[in-house]
Amino acid sequence: MTNLNEHAVIGPIETDHILIDGLSIRYAVDRRVSAGTPILLTTPFPESVFAFLPVWEDFATLGPVIAVDLPGFGRSESRQDLMSPSAMGAFLIKILDAFELDRVHAVVPDVGTLAALFAASTNPDRFASIVAGSGGMAMDLLGEPLAQIARSSRSDFDGVDGGEQVVGLVRQLARFTPSDAVIEDYRLSALGDRWNKAADFVRAYPRDLPRLAELLPQIDVAVLVLSGSGDPFVPTSNGEFLQAHLPRCETRVIEAGHFVWDDAPAEYAREARDWIKRHDMPMTR
């Protein structure tokens, strides 16, 4: 059994763990630039904090960076009651509180997009801006591979080693193959039944996505959606859905697959950095 609490260092990212609401949560911090609004990065499924290696230095020049493996993802502990977008949104506020982050720019690809939008629906003042994308927004807009997971049950994947499954998926879909050390971290993050348990987050979509759609028009936070033009899991129509329903939303389509931050890191970082700079201003009351 792998030790979830072990430290890992790959490139400029060094991980540690913090106890939040009784769970050991893995994170990495870069404080080379101490001034400015902190930037919170949340792990995309089925990767880990090391998914941000290609764009880490770009964000680290803007201000303090805190990257977090959400519960059940990466190398953070899981709890069944948190494996839904709405519950993860509430936990995201606990993460901000634990790190004493009053207000952040949130870069939240994939599952983090849904969690952050739920969090912003109740705590908009905690977000200076959100960089979203690669997260399904409506059941009829999901790509078939993601829709299959949403319709599945845990028993459908009984006996499947999630670690090997994820390694195969990333090597098949990512246009830029991560290093062996990063791939190994992904494997350990999904080892055994961890991937199957994390997939419960997606299985909650039929219940939570309609709830989120009703909340979107009231979310007063600037949101940028970065979508991959060839994403088989989350087609660009999901970004268009957000732009149509959020009051302050813009979309950009990048020539990439699902893992936009890996496939086109220079363009992803440039769009995100420009957005953060545009919206890095003091909160007015």
Side-chain angles (χ1 to χ4, degrees), residues 244-279:
H245 290 83
L246 284 167
R248 301 167 60 198
C249 180
E250 296 180 20
T251 63
R252 308 279 190 276
V253 177
I254 296 174
E255 180 56 41
H258 179 67
F259 303 108
V260 188
W261 46 94
D262 282 333
D263 293 345
E267 188 171 358
Y268 185 91
R270 182 174 64 252
E271 293 285 1
R273 279 168 49 89
D274 288 349
W275 183 259
I276 289 170
K277 288 178 179 178
R278 277 175 55 191
H279 295 90

Side-chain angles (χ1 to χ4, degrees), residues 76-141:
S76 289
E77 286 185 335
S78 183
R79 198 169 68 216
Q80 179 59 33
D81 65 295
L82 295 176
M83 300 316 296
S84 71
S86 55
M88 197 68 76
F91 193 88
L92 189 57
I93 299 302
K94 293 183 179 181
I95 291 175
L96 297 182
D97 291 343
F99 285 99
E100 299 181 343
L101 302 172
D102 293 333
R103 197 162 181 256
V104 298
H105 294 287
V107 180
V108 286
D110 197 78
V111 293
T113 287
L114 285 81
L117 290 173
F118 267 110
S121 72
T122 55
N123 293 267
D125 290 349
R126 305 298 294 271
F127 298 92
S129 75
I130 294 174
V131 178
S134 300
M137 287 297 117
M139 289 301 298
D140 61 344
L141 299 179

Side-chain angles (χ1 to χ4, degrees), residues 54-68:
V55 295
W56 188 265
E57 295 291 348
D58 294 278
F59 289 122
T61 63
L62 294 177
V65 176
I66 301 94
V68 177

Side-chain angles (χ1 to χ4, degrees), residues 117-118 137-139 207-219 241-242 245-246:
L117 290 173
F118 267 110
M137 287 297 117
M139 289 301 298
R207 181 190 73 240
D208 272 13
L209 293 188
R211 294 173 58 193
L212 180 58
E214 293 180 358
L215 296 171
L216 293 177
Q218 285 77 50
I219 298 177
F241 181 88
L242 284 178
H245 290 83
L246 284 167

